Amino acid sequence: IGGTIPGIPVVLTGRSSALGWGITSSYADDQDVYIEELNPDNSEEYRTPDGFKKFAKRASIITVKDADPITLTLRWTDNGPVLPGSHYNLAAITPPGHVAALNWTALDPADTSIAAAMQLMEAKTVEEGITAGEAYIAPSQNLTLVDVNTIAMKTIGALPARDAAHQSQGRMPTPGWIAANRWQGRLPYSANPEFLSPRGGIIGNTNNKTVDRPFPNHVSFLWGDTQRIQRWRNLMQRRQVHTRDSFIEAQLDTVSFTARSLLPLIGAELWFTGETAPEGTSERQRQRALTLLAGWSGEMNEHLPEPLIYAAWLRALQQRLIQDELGALAEEFDHVDPLFIERVFRDVDGAAAWCDVLQSAPKETCPDMARMALDDALIWINETWGTQLESLRWGDAHQATHDHQTLGEVPVLRYFMNIRQSTSGGDNTLLRGRTRGTGPDPFANVHGAGFRGVYDFADPDSSVFITSTGQSGHFLSHHYDDLAQLWRRGEYIPMSLDEELARAAPVGITKLVPEAE
């Protein structure tokens, strides 16, 4: 029992009577882009370490409604499929007479990931679960496992074996005809990070860095989290004994470690300074905002104004810090990088230089930038949400967007298909609610936990779960969105494997019968 993807016959995160498992993205560097040189005398060939070689080719026919079919010729190199120059603007970095190709573990023709997942469902112990993970190829995940005696976390998925002489270490596109840039197969499964029954008896992952190994045996150059893991550790260390309810509390926690650590830094010279400004002035609005933030706990609660003020301030601050140095490239950084801002305001290795605007004659300080950024944020808030700061609600700006991927853009239908909910949490809270970062609604909640589960192996039938919408994918069904409000409020439903309990009140029974050969 647990969370599945329609059409895939496996429980990706869930439990059996003997084993519980969950997955988080490992952020493994399992993709490389290569620049392949075409033979100037024959464009059907590309350069390899051993000379020119013909592309592998296959025709793909795409049928189009009310139109003639389109035939595309797909090409492969030894490094992987050739990508169109329009993908991610690859043409901008691809020289004339060259093409780009992608090598990715998920393109392995002998992908046994589904078989591995099915084997995991049959595992009875943590050790058997780890063994099942060896056949898993992609996309790489951190697999957390628990049985009645043991806990563990194992990175599953193929990790490329790269040459120590790789020109870019996989971080940038490289010439595909240079042997040192090509993958040397994959690392052995035993080399994947593994944590088995650690001291203290607790394992967790928030997409944070798990190991620190130098290239080429590293896992990733870019991890998904540096902040939420700090709050998780704090909650885990508060108790000597944890219960199902304390784990639910952690799963629903909305306190931002980032807010608690950065606000004292960026506001150090702004709190309660100067005389009270006249009502209606920008100075007075700034003082009101600072007064609210000074008494705030850092809880990203949907009903509070402080999370919106804080989020808008941090966003405006990073924009001011990088705009003059990066120009148009600054627009690519659409989410706040907490470590960058901390380094700047602590002046780590001279990072406070980012506070000075290069194009201006005065030398701006970091408190200057913090003050101006707060004014920027308040102007945006005033224009978007109104001038009454105390009446703001974070949940109005942080609505969860459960959009139907196919019918969500169809006029009229979209009002039935798409689900909108005011939500707590944010980019850096354990109750994840990653914001869009761009556009007119930069704080819309566009990425969160579609499935939450807490499994108690002291009393397995007390385990609970919730999904963010409902059990049915049909928008006319009562079960299309009947779990959505429970999910929003942080409530759960029972997760029992007792068949008699399930049969006691079914709304119907669906049988899937394989077609006879």
Side-chain angles (χ1 to χ4, degrees):
I1 188 171
T4 66
I5 294 176
I8 297 180
V10 295
V11 172
L12 296 175
T13 175
R15 74 175 186 91
S16 64
S17 59
L19 187 69
W21 60 94
I23 53 175
T24 52
S25 176
S26 70
Y27 278 72
D29 290 341
D30 55 7
Q31 297 183 15
D32 275 12
V33 174
Y34 292 95
I35 304 300
E36 309 281 17
E37 182 184 357
L38 301 178
N39 185 344
D41 299 322
N42 182 358
S43 61
E44 300 297 314
E45 296 180 341
Y46 65 98
R47 184 183 295 278
T48 74
D50 302 315
F52 288 109
K53 182 178 180 179
K54 285 185 176 294
F55 287 101
K57 298 170 69 174
R58 176 170 63 84
S60 177
I61 301 175
I62 302 173
T63 57
V64 182
K65 182 179 180 181
D66 300 328
D68 294 332
I70 298 173
T71 300
L72 298 178
T73 300
L74 308 181
R75 296 182 294 172
W76 280 263
T77 71
D78 290 342
N79 292 315
V82 174
L83 302 176
S86 57
H87 279 35
Y88 298 97
N89 198 24
L90 282 170
I93 62 165
T94 306
H98 295 71
V99 293
L102 172 69
N103 203 353
W104 182 19
T105 54
L107 300 174
D108 189 331
D111 191 330
T112 52
S113 298
I114 293 295
M118 296 185 75
Q119 185 181 349
L120 174 62
M121 292 194 296
E122 297 178 354
K124 303 301 182 185
T125 65
V126 163
E127 289 76 11
E128 289 180 8
I130 292 175
T131 300
E134 184 167 8
Y136 184 86
I137 304 299
S140 180
Q141 304 286 322
N142 291 318
L143 176 66
T144 303
L145 297 159
V146 58
D147 60 26
V148 293
N149 299 310
T150 312
I151 61 171
M153 184 170 70
K154 176 73 175 182
T155 300
I156 59 174
L159 299 183
R162 295 180 176 90
D163 194 304
H166 193 296
Q167 288 180 306
S168 74
Q169 300 182 338
R171 304 171 86 171
M172 296 177 65
T174 48
W177 60 89
I178 295 178
N181 293 336
R182 293 183 160 205
W183 290 359
Q184 316 295 315
R186 67 175 66 160
L187 297 176
Y189 183 61
S190 60
N192 286 19
E194 179 179 307
F195 306 90
L196 182 64
S197 296
R199 289 180 58 190
I202 293 177
I203 286 177
N205 184 256
T206 59
N207 307 126
N208 57 287
K209 188 175 185 177
T210 57
V211 291
D212 190 8
R213 303 190 306 210
F215 181 85
N217 294 321
H218 77 309
V219 174
S220 177
F221 285 115
L222 182 65
W223 302 87
D225 174 55
T226 62
Q227 305 292 298
R228 293 183 294 143
I229 190 63
Q230 307 295 338
R231 177 64 179 170
W232 179 82
R233 287 171 178 157
N234 179 276
L235 292 179
M236 293 300 103
Q237 292 166 0
R238 281 185 183 181
R239 295 170 174 258
Q240 289 186 336
V241 177
H242 279 280
T243 65
R244 184 197 68 169
D245 289 343
S246 70
F247 271 66
I248 289 175
E249 178 186 347
Q251 204 169 64
L252 301 177
D253 187 78
T254 60
V255 173
S256 171
F257 169 85
T258 312
R260 286 186 169 187
S261 59
L262 288 186
L263 282 177
L265 274 177
I266 66 176
E269 297 187 26
L270 303 180
W271 308 115
F272 308 113
T273 58
E275 299 180 358
T276 302
E279 194 65 43
T281 63
S282 60
E283 291 82 2
R284 178 61 177 153
Q285 191 78 334
R286 187 193 317 138
Q287 290 172 348
R288 290 168 61 199
L290 288 167
T291 300
L292 286 169
L293 292 174
W296 180 46
S297 67
E299 183 183 1
M300 303 290 286
N301 187 292
E302 62 179 297
H303 302 294
L304 297 178
E306 291 90 348
L308 179 55
I309 299 170
Y310 151 76
W313 187 6
L314 265 289
R315 181 169 180 260
L317 176 59
Q318 178 165 289
Q319 190 66 20
R320 274 195 174 265
L321 291 175
I322 67 177
Q323 182 66 56
D324 60 314
E325 282 90 353
L326 302 185
L329 188 60
E331 299 298 327
E332 299 295 322
F333 295 86
D334 52 15
H335 284 82
V336 169
D337 185 336
L339 294 184
F340 166 69
I341 292 179
E342 182 176 0
R343 288 175 63 87
V344 168
F345 276 78
R346 292 191 187 279
D347 194 20
V348 177
D349 296 330
W354 286 88
C355 290
D356 182 35
V357 179
L358 301 179
Q359 287 86 352
S360 68
K363 185 175 178 62
E364 290 82 6
T365 65
C366 289
D368 291 336
M369 297 299 278
R371 185 187 67 255
M372 291 187 289
L374 181 54
D375 288 344
D376 293 343
L378 292 173
I379 290 172
W380 179 81
I381 288 174
N382 293 346
E383 293 175 347
T384 309
W385 300 104
T387 59
Q388 299 302 312
L389 297 183
E390 293 80 4
S391 300
L392 298 173
R393 287 184 75 259
W394 170 238
D396 292 340
H398 193 241
Q399 287 200 358
T401 56
H402 308 280
D403 289 356
H404 195 285
Q405 293 185 348
T406 304
L407 304 176
E409 296 296 325
V410 177
V412 181
L413 269 183
R414 66 172 179 260
Y415 297 109
F416 298 95
M417 307 299 301
N418 298 335
I419 303 170
R420 294 288 187 274
Q421 298 170 299
S422 167
T423 57
S424 299
D427 289 327
N428 300 306
T429 56
L430 291 176
L431 181 74
R432 186 69 180 275
R434 183 167 172 80
T435 58
R436 178 175 287 125
T438 60
D441 298 311
F443 302 121
N445 181 356
V446 297
H447 184 78
F451 174 93
R452 299 185 190 120
V454 180
Y455 321 136
D456 186 349
F457 278 86
D459 180 12
D461 274 350
S462 73
S463 301
V464 293
F465 83 100
I466 196 71
T467 66
S468 60
T469 53
Q471 298 275 35
S472 172
H474 196 300
F475 77 100
L476 293 179
S477 168
H478 171 68
H479 302 290
Y480 180 68
D481 60 358
D482 59 339
L483 299 181
Q485 286 303 317
L486 300 178
W487 176 85
R488 187 187 78 81
R489 295 195 300 263
E491 300 178 25
Y492 295 76
I493 58 177
M495 191 181 190
S496 175
L497 285 170
D498 185 338
E499 288 189 27
E500 295 304 317
L501 186 63
R503 293 179 190 278
V507 297
I509 297 175
T510 299
K511 291 185 178 180
L512 304 179
V513 181
E515 185 176 345
E517 289 283 337

